[in-house]
Amino acid sequence: GHGLFIGVELVKPANGEPATDLAKQVINRLKDKGFLTSNAGAFGNVVKIRPPLPFSQADAAEFLVAWDETIAELAA
């Protein structure tokens, strides 16, 4: 089909192991901000980003702000 599909693999910086719990937290926080994502991968540590087809540059910019905020919140 047509569309965009991106997977972001999250791993622990100390040892490179899958960060499954972090992926779940990111997904839940993004949902609270209005963005639906899900997890994938053998360890569930890949955040799947599959926006709807009419996804504009403004939508992408808004998502990236939410992503950056979410990662900063969870890193604190």
Side-chain angles (χ1 to χ4, degrees), residues 15 39 60 62 72 74:
N15 55 17
N39 64 330
E62 187 177 340
L74 293 172

Side-chain angles (χ1 to χ4, degrees), residues 1-5 53:
H2 298 289
L4 175 65
F5 186 139
L53 210 48

Side-chain angles (χ1 to χ4, degrees), residues 27-71:
I27 290 163
N28 287 329
R29 295 230 181 166
L30 286 172
K31 182 175 71 172
D32 293 342
K33 296 174 191 267
F35 296 96
L36 296 178
T37 57
S38 59
N39 64 330
F43 303 104
N45 66 320
V46 177
V47 178
K48 288 193 304 187
I49 305 165
R50 298 180 302 162
L53 210 48
F55 196 69
S56 68
Q57 273 193 295
D59 296 326
E62 187 177 340
F63 175 80
L64 289 175
V65 168
W67 176 271
D68 288 343
E69 288 174 354
T70 299
I71 297 299

